[in-house]
Amino acid sequence: MAGNIESPLLIRNENGFSPSDEDQYDVPSNRIHSNGDSIYDVNNGFGSNHQILEGQGTPYHAITRRHKQYKTWELNYQEAAIYLQEGENNDKYSTHPRDFNALPAYKIAHKKIFYALDLFAALLVMGLAACERPAVPFLTLPVGVHGSLELFGLLILALELGIRMKWLGFRTFIKHKRTLIKSCTLIIVFIETIVVIIRQHNHFRVTRSLRPLFLIDTYYCRGVRRTFRQILQSMPPIIDMLLLLLFFMLIFSILGFYLFSGIHGDAYFATLQDSFISLFVLLTTANYPDVMMPAYASSRYYSIFYIIYLSLELYFIMNLFLAVVYDTFSNLEKTKVKKLFFHKRLGCQHAFRLLVTKEDNKSIKLKHFLGMMKHLRPKKSRRDGYLVFKMLNMGTSGALTLEEFHKIYEAIDLQWMLKSDENIIWSSHFKYPFNRIFRCIHSFVKWKWFKRFIYFAIASNFLIILVETIQISVTIEADRHKITDRENWASVASTVYVCIYIVEAILKILGKGPAVYFTSGWDLFDFVVTGTSVIGLLGEFFDDSFYFIIVLRPFKLLRLFKVKERYRDVLGTLFVLFTRLISLAIVIILVYYFFAIIGMEMFLHTNLRNCCKNTSVEAYYKYSNDSTNQMYYYLNNFDNILESGVTLFELTVVNNWFIIMEGYAHHIGEWSRVYFMLFYIVMMVVMNIVVAFILEQFLFRMQYNRKMEVKDIEGKVLIKN
Amino acid sequence: MAGNIESPLLIRNENGFSPSDEDQYDVPSNRIHSNGDSIYDVNNGFGSNHQILEGQGTPYHAITRRHKQYKTWELNYQEAAIYLQEGENNDKYSTHPRDFNALPAYKIAHKKIFYALDLFAALLVMGLAACERPAVPFLTLPVGVHGSLELFGLLILALELGIRMKWLGFRTFIKHKRTLIKSCTLIIVFIETIVVIIRQHNHFRVTRSLRPLFLIDTYYCRGVRRTFRQILQSMPPIIDMLLLLLFFMLIFSILGFYLFSGIHGDAYFATLQDSFISLFVLLTTANYPDVMMPAYASSRYYSIFYIIYLSLELYFIMNLFLAVVYDTFSNLEKTKVKKLFFHKRLGCQHAFRLLVTKEDNKSIKLKHFLGMMKHLRPKKSRRDGYLVFKMLNMGTSGALTLEEFHKIYEAIDLQWMLKSDENIIWSSHFKYPFNRIFRCIHSFVKWKWFKRFIYFAIASNFLIILVETIQISVTIEADRHKITDRENWASVASTVYVCIYIVEAILKILGKGPAVYFTSGWDLFDFVVTGTSVIGLLGEFFDDSFYFIIVLRPFKLLRLFKVKERYRDVLGTLFVLFTRLISLAIVIILVYYFFAIIGMEMFLHTNLRNCCKNTSVEAYYKYSNDSTNQMYYYLNNFDNILESGVTLFELTVVNNWFIIMEGYAHHIGEWSRVYFMLFYIVMMVVMNIVVAFILEQFLFRMQYNRKMEVKDIEGKVLIKN
């Protein structure tokens, strides 16, 4: 939607001033005259250094003065831009570059390319988990190679830390907790890597599980950092509720032990420890009717014990747990938003102090504003800076007050287009016959009957796919051994439909213009779906080994969601929340990584085939060359990072997780239960935070929408009256 | 806490009026002069009937006038009281008794005894499910007996309906939806009962599942009615989300069918129907790793399908579902509170109109207020009525304005005590040495070190029980066959602790007085726990068959919760929410009843022992005389109402529910899956509402507490300034 303004006339000289150099001789309030009446206290920053230079009695004639002023202003612009950037990135102001000499280091560390390098190094070091022993088969690397790669990554990270130390100074560096933890981890991992390279052998390296710390610290993962911080901050009430949960569990396990240890054949409550483990698993419902059945067979009334336990722990306390998590989480969210707001304001105030002149310390002139903008957004044109200034400047004074300057963050990243742009589509500048044609296409694409036809096409396509699949299903059922007969699947209908979709996509691209089409969420979604349909169709026609793309066909049905309002809302909200959901997903992946590394180190090469003889989970681990009647649970191992991930996902889903736990407890030792139980508790907390997050965000959106509507109605009523 | 005032002097004649008959001759605004300037329109009620009497030209001299006025006022009092009662009970004003003749019927129908009779009949009819075929063994009754009992119950219900028709009038009776549904159900059930009695045989009676309707309609179940209404009202958005869920399920089942139907040994996706059922069960996670394992064994990358499906359906849409339910539920709650508020106000306005005089239609005199109170709260004394009046009357006019009268519901059920009561404890009226002694006990009980000692006792007792149980557990493990050796369990320590608790309870009763002790939630809880401890101890000493009470011992540990603030808050909130939680529990029980009846009629006497040969669930239903290695799933049947309840609870907990479903699907027929899937969906909705309810209520309380604290702090700050 971004259009650029052609006419330079737009920069009018409305308030009797121009962006020219008429204020060449004005003096920044804080530099030359350190006894100036600045209202803000200069407590840090590299101004002080400069003031000493000033005090050395340099000659005071016009040309050097002008030159010096220019240099002073440049420094002020730079520092103001840094303050605003710190406000934007939520960096602490105590990590502000300590003096003029630290500035180059600061500037390097805050370059995009350096951010990217940092991220790359962190990802490289994390990714090595797939190549080290136990490696994913096709990614296996020799010890020397992955050791060197790790060393390379760690060196980049160390470089980043070194630069940071340069501009922070040693004292602040030590005080900044996150940096300190990162440094310590780096040193440990570094030593271990060198040991690995020297010995050419991977020892027991649980410290690898700390690698996510490097990723969390990168610039691009600030959302992840925030989510982690929120999780850590909501721990105290969560721990209280966990204790309540465990306390009840303990009481019930004592009770269960007394009640059921006498029942013959009830192995679940044989000892107090068994009793506790059974009830822990019962909290996850994973062993539910099974754990009750022996007692239930002995007396029907024993079911009361389980009903009370589950009603209390699962349905009451767990929901209470969610309520506490939700409450804490949404409060933290509110506090965070407030804090960010004030942090930004503080940044504005610091910057403001640096941009006012000694003569007028209540407002910023355009010239100084543009000077600062050049450092804050180097890529933006002078015109963009001027427009931001005009937008902020509500009064007629031609200078920004502090109050106006506070709003800079709202205006700084706006994109501007000419007012007449609204009716202009991308094809307006084409030559005569073409601009008419493209405008027709544009109108046609926006025509409601065109949209309806597309919806109808999708719906009918859905029915045809369904009918087709049912037919295939019936055929297979009738003749169980002719499954490979896939030729018929590419029906004429699906070809027709794919053609319709292609025509639609082409019309839309031509009508709306590629720039608009490929930046709209829904259109992009359409395009991807249509693209996969095309690939699927090609797959059907050409290559038999290509057949698996056929299964992507039903995905075009997802477009049906655009028909109904509520679903559009839901998916619209999904788009809005995308970045935050991604943060949450990354947090989960990092937790997985942590547990996967530990799991791999602890349970490496455990073969669970035919394990657990004479226990209740024996059947799950049975192994034979015959594929029927196998439960394949021995596949849930920690043999490499990807398989560990799948195993951990199974543990996250919770159902039957105890079977995996029992397998390892029998094969490795009872203590391994701690790993599984800890993982369950951690994931329970994380999953509750996921639920809390989704609840919070969607409730906010729904209530927001409703309130807007209500206001609308009230507005209408007011007009009526 | 309720104290009664002794002195009649409290009724002072402050504002120059007394509750005597000085206004004997005043005229109600609406009766005698129908053209009076009443601001409220008389649209129904039995005034109209009376006005006709008025118009018939009765002689107009003082005595009859006074008598008539008295009668008119009495009628007005009665009707005003009825309006206020309707406001209180949230009865529709359209069900107001239509005229003077309907009044006796109305009064009977709104007597406590009649409410109780109605409840009794509804419970009786519902309870018969335990005695009819298939009956709970020891409750079985002959067909004639339970048929007659049912007829008896239904007759009472019919009587109630008849009386309701009498005061509602036929037209309103038909229009009132709830009453109409109840009548129809009653007729159907009535006919069926007569058929049963005549044939002396229970036929296929699914209509029994409608019996909860009778219970829902009773006066005491208005909370349940409200919850049901809320559930029904939140259906539309819930259904939208369910469709979304099912739509994705369908897409994925098509996809799954194409992907996995070719894998040898993967029975989960053999046909499209299998595929759909597998994914439906997978939504509940009940078959999770199992359903993935055959595909996972064939290629590790197939796990991506399951991870995407579960992330999308389980972690995203289901949480969204909760968000939608929560949003709808909390909005309905707000609307309901608003509606109730305005309903009550309307009741007040109706009543107000009836209590003002023709001369002064802006305010109610004390005399008329007390006249109304006599009907509204027959058990309250005249003094209580006067106190309510004084409390409401903010001005000095000595008469209630409408604005003041609106607050009657807040004041009407207050209990009053003398101001000097605060320092008086129950023993203050005792004779000399005793009142001193009891006051000492009172202070001792309130002493903080006494409380701390008790907490210490409980905590140490907990440790001793734990250690003792661990010892027993170890002993049993070492010597597996000496389980019946229970003599040692009654240790000296437990006797000492029980004695401490008894002394504490006695001291508290003596100190606080029985009235205070037995009405405080925490004290009552203490008492019950101590009581069970005593019974447990006695059981240990005397009777061996009594031993099962020993297991109640650990329950005294629950008292530990009083120590920490957050837990006290949680349990305090629990006490506050108790009635609403009970309503929810009753709703769940009624849903269970509904499904249990249908289940019993459909699956009666299904023997699942050794069923499902050659399927994946065969092992669960294995039956032999040997108790080891049995899974006992054949016990999950619908043989009587209690066992059906347990089976349905297992289905509610969801884990392994599909094994029960598979059993019936194989034994009875594929269509029986509909029953189980429907039950799952219904319980999912109900459980989501339970979660929404607990979330809503606890969040409200937590936020309320926090806000109060904040205000407190602000208040203090204000005082400081």
Side-chain angles (χ1 to χ4, degrees), chain B residues 24-167:
Chain B
Q24 191 76 299
Y25 293 94
D26 58 6
V27 179
S29 68
N30 65 329
R31 302 291 183 202
I32 295 174
H33 302 269
S34 55
N35 54 349
D37 48 358
S38 164
I39 42 164
Y40 302 101
D41 195 31
V42 190
N43 46 11
N44 59 6
F46 36 91
S48 50
N49 188 18
H50 208 70
Q51 272 167 7
I52 294 162
L53 270 170
E54 206 54 41
Q56 279 166 353
T58 30
Y60 197 82
H61 54 90
I63 296 160
T64 33
R65 193 180 153 221
R66 185 183 289 200
H67 178 69
K68 204 185 317 169
Q69 268 191 22
Y70 176 73
K71 273 191 73 181
T72 316
W73 273 117
E74 267 307 303
L75 271 178
N76 273 18
Y77 295 156
Q78 230 167 356
E79 195 176 358
I82 287 172
Y83 270 123
L84 288 175
Q85 205 180 339
E86 283 171 338
E88 205 171 6
N89 295 347
N90 193 21
D91 290 330
K92 284 182 191 151
Y93 296 119
S94 62
T95 62
H96 194 75
R98 84 207 124 87
D99 60 24
F100 185 62
N101 298 326
L103 198 59
Y106 180 87
K107 283 180 99 173
I108 291 171
H110 287 75
K111 279 225 163 87
K112 278 242 168 93
I113 179 84
F114 203 79
Y115 288 153
L117 195 68
D118 195 25
L119 181 70
F120 164 75
L123 285 176
L124 174 73
V125 172
M126 271 190 74
L128 285 175
C131 315
E132 296 159 344
R133 181 215 65 165
V136 179
F138 57 90
L139 288 175
T140 318
L141 291 177
V143 180
V145 177
H146 74 66
S148 312
L149 278 173
E150 187 170 4
L151 211 57
F152 173 65
L154 292 177
L155 281 174
I156 294 176
L157 292 171
L159 177 71
E160 194 271 344
L161 269 180
I163 291 173
R164 197 187 286 184
M165 169 128 59
K166 175 90 180 139
W167 61 264

Side-chain angles (χ1 to χ4, degrees), chain A residues 172-184:
Chain A
T172 327
F173 185 83
I174 291 294
K175 274 185 195 153
H176 195 236
K177 220 190 290 170
R178 178 154 52 88
T179 308
L180 193 67
I181 293 172
K182 189 181 173 182
S183 314
C184 294

Side-chain angles (χ1 to χ4, degrees), chain B residues 136-195:
Chain B
V136 179
F138 57 90
L139 288 175
T140 318
L141 291 177
V143 180
V145 177
H146 74 66
S148 312
L149 278 173
E150 187 170 4
L151 211 57
F152 173 65
L154 292 177
L155 281 174
I156 294 176
L157 292 171
L159 177 71
E160 194 271 344
L161 269 180
I163 291 173
R164 197 187 286 184
M165 169 128 59
K166 175 90 180 139
W167 61 264
L168 275 179
F170 185 69
R171 204 175 280 260
T172 328
F173 185 83
I174 291 296
K175 273 187 198 153
H176 195 235
K177 221 190 287 170
R178 178 155 50 90
T179 310
L180 192 68
I181 292 171
K182 189 180 174 183
S183 315
C184 294
T185 317
L186 193 65
I187 292 167
I188 296 167
V189 176
F190 200 84
I191 293 169
E192 288 219 64
T193 311
I194 289 178
V195 170

